[in-house]
Amino acid sequence: MVVPLAAVIFDVDGVLVQSVERNAEAYRRTFEPLGVRIEPQEVFANEGRGSRVLIAKLARDHGMALSAAQLDEMTRRHHELLASLGPMPLYPGVDALLRSLHRRGLRLAIVTGNWRAIALAPFGELTSLFDAVVSAEEVTRTKPDPEPYRRALEELGVPAERAVVVENAPLGIESAKAAGLRVIAVPTTNPAGGLKGADVVVAGLHDVERALETLQGP
């Protein structure tokens, strides 16, 4: 029996918002005073982790042990640097896709490892289309833990079998699958070959609605 789709849950960075490259630059500048160079791929490979968690991981990867106070300060600095890089644009087609899904009566949510204010800033009036927003403030464990997507399902009031996630990163796919969700992946910042955990990998956002129909079956 086909279960009708009720909701679509989107990751933000690298899916709806062209922000991953700027985020990598903010991490690079955060670590620069310590004499540590963070390469973009180090950030891309860890997309989905909260900023505090990722800073701690990057420090460990480079042989550093940060105190809680240092971690707090670097997290604050990362947020300030990211904000200083200016408004982040939506990917082409985001406006049309969100409005189309909303017109179809689907509930929409976003799940992000970023802070709420930063995550919502690019959306403007489109923010009103989201029925749920799960950001770093609302969870204790970030992706790849399933908590963020489970929290989104709770806020939407929708069971996992009636929702689909749109992701672009392996950790996000792992998080969604662990929450019992089906996943459509877009290869924006990670190659398609690294997104094989998804149910469907599409070329871009313009193919998402078609993929939704495929996942619902005949």
Side-chain angles (χ1 to χ4, degrees):
M1 183 178 71
V2 176
V3 179
L5 184 66
V8 182
I9 308 172
F10 292 91
D11 176 38
V12 176
D13 298 305
V15 173
L16 299 178
V17 180
Q18 291 179 293
S19 55
V20 179
E21 293 82 1
R22 294 190 191 187
N23 202 24
E25 175 63 12
Y27 281 112
R28 186 190 70 77
R29 294 189 191 184
T30 298
F31 277 85
E32 190 174 41
L34 302 178
V36 174
R37 179 169 180 82
I38 301 298
E39 298 295 341
Q41 194 54 45
E42 293 180 80
V43 178
F44 297 165
N46 284 283
E47 256 189 274
R49 297 190 194 276
S51 53
R52 195 174 194 275
V53 173
L54 181 48
I55 288 169
K57 183 180 188 306
L58 291 171
R60 290 195 302 272
D61 290 347
H62 287 267
M64 300 172 57
L66 300 177
S67 67
Q70 285 176 307
L71 189 52
D72 288 341
E73 173 58 23
M74 291 180 72
T75 302
R76 182 193 62 78
R77 176 169 168 75
H78 170 260
H79 293 159
E80 289 180 350
L81 286 167
L82 190 57
S84 74
L85 294 175
M88 300 185 192
L90 300 177
Y91 280 104
V94 167
D95 186 301
L97 175 60
L98 294 179
R99 293 186 189 279
S100 176
L101 296 175
H102 180 71
R103 283 194 300 270
R104 290 171 55 183
L106 293 171
R107 295 176 65 78
L108 303 177
I110 55 175
V111 169
T112 177
N114 225 325
W115 296 96
R116 178 179 287 255
I118 294 174
L120 290 178
F123 291 101
E125 65 178 17
L126 292 175
T127 301
S128 65
L129 300 181
F130 298 128
D131 299 287
V133 175
V134 178
S135 58
E137 296 98 316
E138 283 88 44
V139 298
T140 56
R141 296 179 299 278
T142 59
K143 303 173 187 176
D145 191 275
E147 181 185 347
Y149 282 112
R150 286 176 176 164
R151 178 68 180 266
L153 290 171
E154 290 172 4
E155 291 191 14
L156 289 168
V158 171
E161 61 268 22
R162 296 194 64 194
V164 170
V165 167
V166 183
E167 263 284 357
N168 74 308
L171 294 181
I173 294 170
E174 183 179 343
S175 171
K177 297 300 286 185
L181 288 149
R182 293 165 293 171
V183 181
I184 297 169
V186 288
T188 49
T189 56
N190 289 284
L195 304 174
K196 293 178 180 178
D199 296 274
V200 181
V201 180
V202 297
L205 289 177
H206 57 279
D207 290 325
V208 166
E209 287 199 83
R210 188 181 304 115
L212 289 173
E213 300 302 328
T214 299
L215 288 177
Q216 287 198 96

